[in-house]
């Protein structure tokens, strides 16, 4: 049975127009004014509301084994929470332990994700290097629909990628038509600053931002971008949180380099005062990397989004409850890093972005959905309202308001970094694969209904970079 959305205003990355949308067999079948209602179709009244492509959160970590524990949100609860907030697709991360097989890790994550209720895809982290990694990257791209690889420049002694790994992996990614992505923080600086702070008696969560100041991020951003420049590969920086790293992204883009930047809803809205809270649980609940920054950085990040220098918004949804955060009660370096937000990203961005005039509705669609679909090569299947696209849609009530709280959210975590924030503009309905899965505050999800989305290599921007390389080959290619 199909679903017809009647009387709404469709909002895409390009335009807004009055239209009904008919979904059948999981796809958008018709878009137009005053469509006839097919017999038996479920009718959703979208009068006074906006119909937008479902959100894509390109950065989540469901049930991630990390820092001696496992993230509390699994693929079932996490994708359900996403749907409750209008996010219909996530891109999560497969993170193999160093010296272990990328392919085995990929299969492990695929198994964990079987219970997802919305669609999902995977980036795969490159945490070490040898010939098997080179080979597995090829297999992942050519046989398993992976087109992006992640590099953690932080987390020394665990999953940190050094320059050798970065150079080898970026080179290989280019051959395969895959996009290298980086968590840009200088892991050595963080490591040494952590030791010094602990030795000086700073053991609480206030030590976390002190051990990861903005320069740490700026240095790594510059290094990753310069490596990409030398190798003439594109590069995507996850969670740009500081003026210093944003500055590197802007500089490189102004110089013609194909650099993409992501910003987290949390970094746009939460500042570093949270670490001064004398209640350990509250301060520790905000420990994530990079940390929340002083307010001036938020203004810069908003400008980055407005100017198009940052293209995507994400959450880095990686949840740990208070009992897990307590692992670092006497040593902030042991507090599991991560915060949630997959359910709230779209509403907080609408509230703080569209309601204030920082973003147009079309820009909102671009930064919450379409740009991610294009950069990670899922467009127009995802991120568009077009005939043949997946029927992943959110119906947005611009007048509905709600106050965000851990007491009422669907996320499987006991804290919400947006606690107490009242937002105007929320999802009234979410449609996933052509089915109404969220309506008037209630979820109607089916365990395992989510599909793994294969993403082909060689997104359109590869062709553009190839032309530049032909004229001016990278340092490693024979001239
Ligand atoms: O603190 C964070 N962000 N935890 C998840 C892992 C990462 O760095 O993305
Ligand atoms: Zn990260
Ligand atoms: Zn992350």
């Amino acid at each position: 049975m199909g679903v017809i959305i009647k009387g709404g205003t469709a909002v895409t990355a390009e335009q807004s127009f009055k239209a009904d949308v008919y979904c059948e067999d999981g796809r958008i079948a018709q878009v137009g004014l005053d469509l006839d209602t097919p017999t038996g179709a479920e009718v959703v009244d979208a009068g006074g509301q906006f119909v937008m492509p479902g959100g894509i959160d390109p950065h989540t970590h469901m049930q991630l084994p990390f820092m001696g524990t496992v993230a509390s949100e699994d693929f079932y609860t996490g994708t359900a929470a996403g749907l409750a907030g209008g996010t219909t697709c996530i891109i999560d991360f497969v993170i193999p332990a160093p010296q272990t097989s990328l392919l085995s890790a990929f299969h492990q994550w695929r198994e964990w994700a079987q219970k997802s209720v919305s669609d999902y895809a995977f980036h795969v982290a490159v945490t070490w290097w040898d010939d098997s990694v080179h080979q597995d990257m090829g297999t992942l791209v050519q046989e398993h629909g992976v087109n992006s690889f992640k590099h953690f420049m932080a987390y020394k002694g665990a999953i940190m990628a050094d320059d050798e790994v970065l150079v080898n992996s970026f080179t290989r990614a280019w051959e395969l038509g895959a996009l290298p992505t980086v968590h840009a923080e200088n892991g050595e600086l963080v490591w040494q600053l952590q030791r010094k702070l602990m030795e000086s008696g700073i053991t609480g969560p206030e030590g976390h931002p002190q051990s990861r100041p903005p320069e740490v991020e700026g240095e790594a951003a510059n290094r990753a971008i310069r490596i990409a420049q030398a190798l003439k590969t594109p590069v995507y920086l996850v969670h740009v949180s500081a003026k210093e790293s944003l500055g590197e992204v802007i500089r490189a883009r102004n110089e013609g380099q194909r650099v993409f930047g992501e910003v987290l809803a949390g970094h746009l809205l939460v500042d570093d005062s949270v670490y001064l809270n004398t209640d350990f649980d509250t301060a520790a609940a905000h420990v994530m990397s990079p940390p929340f920054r002083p307010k001036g950085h938020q203004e810069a990040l908003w400008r980055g989004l407005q100017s198009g220098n940052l293209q995507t918004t994400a959450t880095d949804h990686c949840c740990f409850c208070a009992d897990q955060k307590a692992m670092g009660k006497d040593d902030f370096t042991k507090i599991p890093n991560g915060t949630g937000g997959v359910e709230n990203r779209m509403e907080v961005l609408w509230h703080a972005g569209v309601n204030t005039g920082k973003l147009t509705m079309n820009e909102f669609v671009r930064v919450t959905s379409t740009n991610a679909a294009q950069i990670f090569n899922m467009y127009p299947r995802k991120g568009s309202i077009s005939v043949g696209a997946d029927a992943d849609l959110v119906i947005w009530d611009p007048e509905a308001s709600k106050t965000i709280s851990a007491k009422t959210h669907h996320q499987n975590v006991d804290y919400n970094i947006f606690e107490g924030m009242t937002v105007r503009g929320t999802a009234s309905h979410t449609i996933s694969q052509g089915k109404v899965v969220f309506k008037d505050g209630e979820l109607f999800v089916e365990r395992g209904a989510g599909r793994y989305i294969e993403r082909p290599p060689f997104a359109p921007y590869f062709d553009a970079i190839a032309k530049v390389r032909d004229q001016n080959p990278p340092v490693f290619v024979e001239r």
Side-chain angles (χ1 to χ4, degrees):
M1 188 184 69
V3 171
I4 186 157
I5 305 162
K6 299 227 41 126
T9 299
V11 180
T12 70
E14 295 90 28
Q15 54 175 330
S16 309
F17 52 101
K18 293 291 278 180
D20 299 340
V21 182
Y22 177 56
C23 312
E24 196 177 59
D25 297 330
R27 306 237 165 168
I28 295 176
Q30 290 180 68
V31 181
L33 267 182
D34 300 323
L35 295 180
D36 290 333
T37 302
T39 313
E42 179 178 352
V43 180
V44 176
D45 177 8
Q49 302 191 63
F50 300 117
V51 182
M52 302 187 285
I56 299 171
D57 188 335
H59 188 158
T60 66
H61 301 280
M62 304 304 172
Q63 66 190 82
L64 174 69
F66 192 50
M67 295 183 72
T69 184
V70 178
S72 59
E73 188 88 278
D74 69 20
F75 281 92
Y76 174 67
T77 59
T79 50
L83 290 175
T87 288
T88 51
C89 184
I90 59 168
I91 313 182
D92 206 273
F93 291 82
V94 172
I95 307 184
Q99 320 311 322
T100 67
S101 149
L102 271 63
L103 264 184
S104 307
F106 174 78
H107 290 303
Q108 175 66 80
W109 258 261
R110 285 289 311 266
E111 194 190 316
W112 287 336
Q114 292 291 327
K115 53 183 157 320
S116 298
V117 299
S118 77
D119 286 353
Y120 56 92
F122 284 119
H123 314 279
V124 175
V126 176
T127 54
W128 63 298
W129 193 259
D130 79 351
D131 286 348
S132 76
V133 177
H134 182 274
Q135 198 175 325
D136 280 359
M137 286 175 74
T139 309
L140 285 163
V141 172
Q142 284 147 10
E143 296 174 24
H144 296 288
V146 171
N147 72 14
S148 48
F149 291 96
K150 171 75 175 286
H151 308 82
F152 292 91
M153 298 171 79
Y155 307 121
K156 180 179 158 161
I159 53 177
M160 183 172 100
D162 62 16
D163 287 358
E164 184 188 353
V165 174
L166 296 178
V167 171
N168 284 324
S169 178
F170 283 27
T171 304
R172 178 66 171 146
W174 171 263
E175 287 168 9
L176 296 165
L179 176 63
T181 77
V182 293
H183 167 136
E185 283 186 303
N186 181 310
E188 184 61 35
L189 278 171
V190 172
W191 177 266
Q192 297 214 15
L193 283 164
Q194 286 179 330
R195 302 281 86 73
K196 285 201 183 352
L197 284 157
M198 284 297 293
E199 277 159 28
S200 72
I202 297 175
T203 60
E206 72 280 12
H208 180 69
Q210 294 181 47
S211 69
R212 314 179 93 102
E215 305 85 287
V216 160
E217 188 175 325
E219 186 285 324
N222 180 47
R223 184 156 35 100
I225 288 169
R226 289 297 189 189
I227 290 172
Q229 183 185 34
L231 301 176
K232 294 210 160 52
T233 66
V235 67
Y236 176 100
L237 275 69
V238 307
H239 51 43
V240 174
S241 77
K243 285 180 202 167
E244 286 74 357
S245 47
L246 175 61
E248 298 300 339
V249 171
I250 294 172
R251 176 194 56 70
R253 288 174 64 85
N254 283 342
E255 290 171 11
Q257 219 182 311
R258 194 75 55 171
V259 175
F260 302 110
E262 164 195 289
V263 62
L264 304 185
H267 283 137
L268 286 164
L269 290 161
V270 179
D271 69 67
D272 63 347
S273 59
V274 292
Y275 299 115
L276 301 178
N277 198 307
T278 50
D279 173 48
F280 173 85
D281 289 349
T282 305
H286 292 92
V287 166
M288 60 97 53
S289 297
F292 297 114
R293 303 292 189 191
K295 277 199 184 300
H297 292 270
Q298 293 168 17
E299 285 156 34
L301 295 175
W302 276 112
R303 284 196 293 274
L305 259 191
Q306 287 177 295
S307 62
N309 282 307
L310 298 174
Q311 298 78 38
T312 61
T313 58
T315 56
D316 199 358
H317 188 82
C318 186
C319 296
F320 299 104
C321 292
D323 58 337
Q324 297 173 291
K325 293 278 184 179
M327 291 164 65
K329 188 94 190 153
D330 305 314
D331 177 351
F332 72 86
T333 71
K334 296 197 165 62
I335 300 171
N337 284 205
T339 52
V342 72
E343 183 172 353
N344 309 117
R345 177 182 66 122
M346 296 190 66
E347 60 203 12
V348 299
L349 278 163
W350 180 277
H351 182 76
V354 178
N355 288 349
T356 60
K358 288 191 177 88
L359 298 174
T360 67
M361 293 195 295
N362 309 96
E363 285 165 346
F364 173 82
V365 171
R366 229 171 272 163
V367 302
T368 56
S369 181
T370 308
N371 285 348
Q374 290 179 335
I375 292 169
F376 294 109
N377 217 14
M378 297 189 283
Y379 185 84
R381 177 179 181 181
K382 303 286 187 195
S384 80
I385 301 183
S386 56
V387 172
D390 283 356
D392 281 3
L393 299 162
V394 59
I395 301 172
W396 199 260
D397 184 344
E399 295 308 328
S401 62
K402 83 180 213 202
T403 301
I404 296 170
S405 174
K407 292 194 183 76
T408 49
H409 70 198
H410 297 82
Q411 300 173 142
N412 187 31
V413 62
D414 56 7
Y415 197 83
N416 191 308
I417 57 168
F418 305 113
E419 184 73 33
M421 181 173 168
T422 299
V423 290
R424 185 164 51 83
T426 64
S428 71
H429 299 68
T430 307
I431 316 275
S432 171
Q433 296 179 48
K435 295 203 174 79
V436 178
V437 289
F438 177 75
K439 185 169 135 181
D440 302 328
E442 236 187 297
L443 279 164
F444 304 90
V445 295
E446 188 192 332
R447 194 179 177 89
R451 299 166 301 183
Y452 172 64
I453 303 298
E454 299 211 7
R455 298 175 297 123
F458 296 106
Y461 48 87
F462 274 82
D463 207 30
I465 302 172
K467 290 188 178 122
V468 174
R469 287 167 68 108
D470 285 348
Q471 294 151 33
N472 186 10
V475 287
F476 279 20
V477 172
E478 277 178 37
R479 284 154 200 270

